[in-house]
Amino acid sequence: MSLPLSRRRLLTAGGAGLVLAGLSDPFRAGPARAAVTTADLVVYGATSGGLAAAIAMRRLGRTAVVVEPTSHVGGLSTAGLGATDTGVQASIGGLAAEFYRRVYVKYHGGTLTPTSPLRMTFEPHVAAAVFADLLAETGVPVIVDARLAGLGRSGNRITELRTEDGSIYSGGVFVDATYEGDLLAMAGVGFTVGRESNDTYGETINGVQSRNTHQFVHPVDPYVTPGSPASGLLPGISATPLAPQGSGDDRIQAYCFRMCLTQAADRIPFGKPSGYDPIRYELLLRHIQAGYTGPYFTTHSVGGGKTDSNNNGAVSTDHIGFNHAYPTASWAARGSIIAEHRTYQQGLMWFLANDPRLPASVRDSTARWGLPVDEFTGTGGWPPLLYIREARRMVSAYVMTEADCRGRVRATDSVGLASYTMDSHNCQRVVVDGRVRNEGDVQIGVPAPYPVSYRAIVPHQAQCANLLVPVCLSASHIAYGSIRMEPVFMILGQAAATAASLALAGNLAVQAVSVPALQARLRQDGAVLEWGSTSEVILDNAASSGITRAGTWLRSTSIGGFYGPDYEHDGNTAKGVNRLRFRPTLPTSGSWTVQLRWTADPNRATNVPVDIAYSGGTATRTVDQRQSGGQWVPLGTYPFTAGTDGSVLIRTEDTDGHVVADAVRFVRA
């Protein structure tokens, strides 16, 4: 939900939405608040992780207040990111799983139960309504437009948080749930910004990474006057030579707005923003003139005829290279950076829909989309929050790294699981051999859900003994790329609140909380903390055994989100001849849930037949590979016998586009 930026106000939950305390009109000024608010838990940041922390604290019988520096509540979950990046859905537990079950009930009706399905795609207003319900049920107050101005401290503890208007929020434990890490920085907690070198933590895909995903597929000249270096570089291209692969720097992955688009008749057309300059889109124009035919942005369906539209391609909604100063910038400087991103992205959409130099097919296909009239009404249908994919990252006693993501090490103090691809968007544009190249995009799957260490969400005790950080947690750049997903932020927010309650009960530093006691309470509240080796089997297309093919299958890495080193596709030819079978080796007999993974793109088939051979029969499911890319998509639960009797067959008969074979996953039911 978004409210005007001009006024601070106290939000509580009432009815289907967030309203002002004691008022029915959310746009009227509220009554004056007391100068000091006291709660057991003070949460700074009304992101999904921050709301989860406050809701969990109230359910544990303690008081909590959420202080949000902007006017927006719910973070990216209510600001357009409705095609949730999930990884392994079964690894989501506790309050996070409840949130997605509530989303399902909003769409499909019925009674919420612990076995209700999870729905991971949703319209922004539906996510806002779910959070409003949870806040109302638990009585959590949310104060918006309340920027952090200072802290009170006693030794190594925070005693109070002060906002710009002089209000004071006093508490026993504090949570920094912002995407930026402003509270942890003000508290003197150690942090880093940018990419470590591979040598820092013994990694292989950190630092500078020149790869072929979201890359220019045709040569594009980088200079204002093609062929003339003296004319200067086009906007956004770095003049600094490309550093060696794996070297560290202070660059961060690109930001964008996650647009909610629609083709409804009453859609709001893409407008030409003030400050529009066509030179910003010269790279895209040249790429199209060189033969690139798209896609130019994603159109993942979330329901209600709407999308979650994200970056896709070499030049898209990511404003590459324009966010490097953001994490540690002042509010005024951040406002300028956000405005620059908004102007760029709104201009991009206007350019694609209107520039006469573009083919009519590009203009027409873009103009079919627009902004919905019933989302983000306070900002004209435009998302109210920039997607801060990465900013500060705490450095604590345990740094999550690539080794954790790959399962090479496993933290024993697990407070939740992460499972998404190690994912970094591009960080810069450079010139290589007289042509422009993007740098920084990494999309490498993880073999299985892995634990997030409790030590990674608490600072060193000497720095602060009563602060928890579930969002800007301690992780390397590439590990954070896997962890930084909205479900995981909710999982870690619940863990932070549970630890805070235990710390208060024992008058302890958060670092001294008993991990077994914390884990026991989290399990009691539905958290998933472990992922056993016998509970899942994954078979990748690149495996040396268990894969049989008919016809011709082509290896590719051009569209990200794949599991393992690559994926295969049928080239959109030899329909009915091309087929690929996964035949895994299952360790035990019983019921297994079958999940399939592919990479999504508009050129994919919408009607791919998939045969699941199980004990006693065969089931056929049809999947739409233009949607749900980079995720494990469940195809049902079936009985299997141990061994290699079961299989998953991908067929191509009568399919209406490219058919992809990437990986299959069996999860013990």
Side-chain angles (χ1 to χ4, degrees):
M1 172 186 178
S2 177
L3 296 174
L5 289 169
S6 59
R7 298 191 298 272
R8 293 176 70 253
R9 53 176 64 82
L10 171 63
L11 295 176
T12 58
L18 296 175
V19 300
L20 294 176
L23 295 175
S24 59
D25 179 0
F27 298 99
R28 287 169 50 200
R33 294 193 303 278
V36 178
T37 300
T38 301
D40 294 321
L41 184 70
V42 178
V43 178
Y44 187 60
T47 60
S48 60
L51 297 184
I55 291 162
M57 195 67 163
R58 292 291 294 128
R59 288 181 172 178
L60 291 167
R62 295 184 179 274
T63 57
V65 62
V66 179
V67 181
E68 165 59 30
T70 75
S71 62
H72 184 77
V73 176
L76 262 292
S77 288
T78 57
L81 205 168
T84 309
D85 298 316
T86 59
V88 178
Q89 192 178 115
S91 68
I92 301 171
L95 186 53
E98 180 185 338
F99 174 86
Y100 296 108
R101 290 190 180 102
R102 285 174 176 254
V103 170
Y104 178 89
V105 171
K106 288 286 185 187
Y107 278 101
H108 303 284
T111 302
L112 177 69
T113 72
T115 59
S116 297
L118 281 62
R119 174 162 173 150
M120 312 305 295
T121 57
F122 44 82
E123 300 155 86
H125 77 272
V126 173
V130 170
F131 274 132
D133 290 345
L134 286 163
L135 293 168
E137 292 165 14
T138 53
V140 173
V142 179
I143 293 88
V144 298
D145 296 324
R147 293 177 180 173
L148 178 64
L151 297 177
R153 292 186 66 116
S154 176
N156 64 349
R157 289 179 176 267
I158 303 170
T159 57
E160 62 185 32
L161 179 158
R162 296 189 293 270
T163 54
E164 287 181 347
D165 72 342
S167 295
I168 295 172
Y169 301 89
S170 175
V173 180
F174 292 77
V175 165
D176 185 342
T178 62
Y179 291 122
E180 295 88 357
D182 288 343
L183 175 54
L184 74 89
M186 188 172 285
V189 170
F191 66 87
T192 188
V193 175
R195 301 181 288 184
E196 298 89 354
S197 71
N198 275 331
D199 293 340
T200 302
Y201 296 117
E203 298 176 302
T204 65
I205 52 176
N206 207 339
V208 172
Q209 295 290 315
S210 184
R211 295 170 176 267
N212 292 323
T213 46
H214 297 291
Q215 189 58 268
F216 290 89
V217 296
H218 302 282
V220 172
D221 191 291
Y223 302 110
V224 174
T225 301
S228 173
S231 67
L233 293 166
L234 288 169
I237 302 176
S238 173
T240 304
L242 182 64
Q245 187 91 342
S247 58
D249 58 27
D250 60 357
R251 297 181 176 92
I252 55 175
Q253 56 179 308
Y255 299 166
C256 71
F257 289 89
R258 293 294 281 255
M259 300 178 296
C260 182
L261 303 182
T262 182
Q263 294 184 336
D266 63 350
R267 66 187 180 275
I268 303 169
F270 299 121
K272 187 176 184 179
S274 174
Y276 175 82
D277 187 345
I279 196 67
R280 295 172 184 256
Y281 316 105
E282 181 67 20
L283 283 175
L284 179 54
L285 177 64
R286 292 181 187 182
H287 201 202
I288 293 171
Q289 290 173 339
Y292 182 68
T293 58
Y296 310 105
F297 51 91
T298 67
T299 54
H300 295 306
S301 175
V302 296
K306 300 170 189 172
T307 73
D308 168 357
S309 289
N310 192 17
N311 184 82
N312 199 351
V315 183
S316 183
T317 61
D318 280 359
H319 200 19
I320 299 172
F322 285 82
N323 64 336
H324 296 159
Y326 181 90
T328 59
S330 67
W331 279 107
R334 283 181 183 171
S336 297
I337 293 169
I338 293 169
E340 165 65 25
H341 279 72
R342 185 185 301 110
T343 298
Y344 164 79
Q345 194 166 333
Q346 290 178 343
L348 170 73
M349 302 311 292
W350 191 91
F351 168 81
L352 287 168
N354 294 280
D355 195 297
R357 296 171 295 172
L358 295 174
S361 59
V362 174
R363 287 180 277 126
D364 293 345
S365 62
T366 304
R368 294 190 192 106
W369 295 98
L371 305 174
V373 297
D374 59 343
E375 300 285 357
F376 312 137
T377 56
T379 50
W382 191 258
L385 210 63
L386 183 65
Y387 188 6
I388 309 302
R389 289 189 171 94
E390 176 184 15
R392 294 183 179 95
R393 302 187 311 279
M394 182 170 65
V395 180
S396 71
Y398 193 103
V399 179
M400 301 290 297
T401 71
E402 180 184 339
D404 291 275
C405 299
R406 293 189 184 273
R408 293 171 183 162
V409 300
R410 297 182 71 83
T412 58
D413 55 344
S414 172
V415 288
L417 301 178
S419 63
Y420 194 70
T421 298
M422 289 178 282
D423 177 20
S424 171
H425 285 230
N426 278 305
C427 300
Q428 62 175 333
R429 287 198 173 106
V430 295
V431 178
V432 177
D433 298 329
R435 297 291 183 261
V436 63
R437 273 188 69 84
N438 292 337
E439 184 278 314
D441 193 276
V442 179
Q443 299 176 48
I444 304 294
V446 302
Y450 58 90
V452 178
S453 168
Y454 177 60
R455 287 164 289 167
I457 69 169
V458 295
H460 291 287
Q461 186 169 337
Q463 294 175 351
C464 194
N466 65 336
L467 175 68
L468 296 115
V469 185
V471 176
C472 293
L473 71 154
S474 178
S476 72
H477 159 77
I478 196 59
Y480 192 76
S482 171
I483 298 167
R484 61 173 183 87
M485 304 304 159
E486 294 289 290
V488 181
F489 289 155
M490 284 189 261
I491 289 168
L492 298 180
Q494 180 179 6
T498 307
S501 181
L502 291 171
L504 291 171
N507 193 27
L508 302 169
V510 293
Q511 295 83 0
V513 165
S514 165
V515 169
L518 171 59
Q519 292 174 327
R521 181 65 209 217
L522 287 171
R523 291 189 188 97
Q524 180 182 332
D525 292 334
V528 181
L529 304 184
E530 299 91 14
W531 198 260
S533 60
T534 62
S535 65
E536 72 162 1
V537 174
I538 296 177
L539 185 58
D540 183 59
N541 68 287
S544 59
S545 62
I547 308 292
T548 57
R549 302 170 182 83
T552 301
W553 289 84
L554 305 174
R555 294 283 182 91
S556 179
T557 59
S558 62
I559 303 297
F562 50 87
Y563 182 91
D566 58 20
Y567 62 91
E568 300 178 42
H569 64 84
D570 70 342
N572 201 20
T573 61
K575 298 300 187 181
V577 175
N578 291 333
R579 47 178 59 194
L580 186 147
R581 187 184 299 272
F582 296 91
R583 192 180 295 279
T585 301
L586 299 180
T588 59
S589 299
S591 294
W592 293 79
T593 298
V594 179
Q595 300 173 343
L596 194 65
R597 191 182 184 108
W598 59 83
T599 63
D601 191 80
N603 73 359
R604 304 295 195 241
T606 64
N607 57 341
V608 180
V610 181
D611 297 336
I612 302 104
Y614 59 91
S615 300
T618 299
T620 298
R621 298 288 181 264
T622 302
V623 300
D624 179 358
Q625 293 192 337
R626 295 181 190 175
Q627 308 293 334
S628 304
Q631 303 179 34
W632 291 111
V633 178
L635 303 182
T637 301
Y638 310 93
F640 292 90
T641 57
T644 59
D645 288 343
S647 69
V648 175
L649 174 66
I650 297 177
R651 296 187 282 116
T652 63
E653 289 93 326
D654 301 319
T655 49
D656 57 2
H658 288 71
V659 175
V660 170
D662 181 15
V664 66
R665 179 171 176 266
F666 284 63
V667 180
R668 190 77 164 87

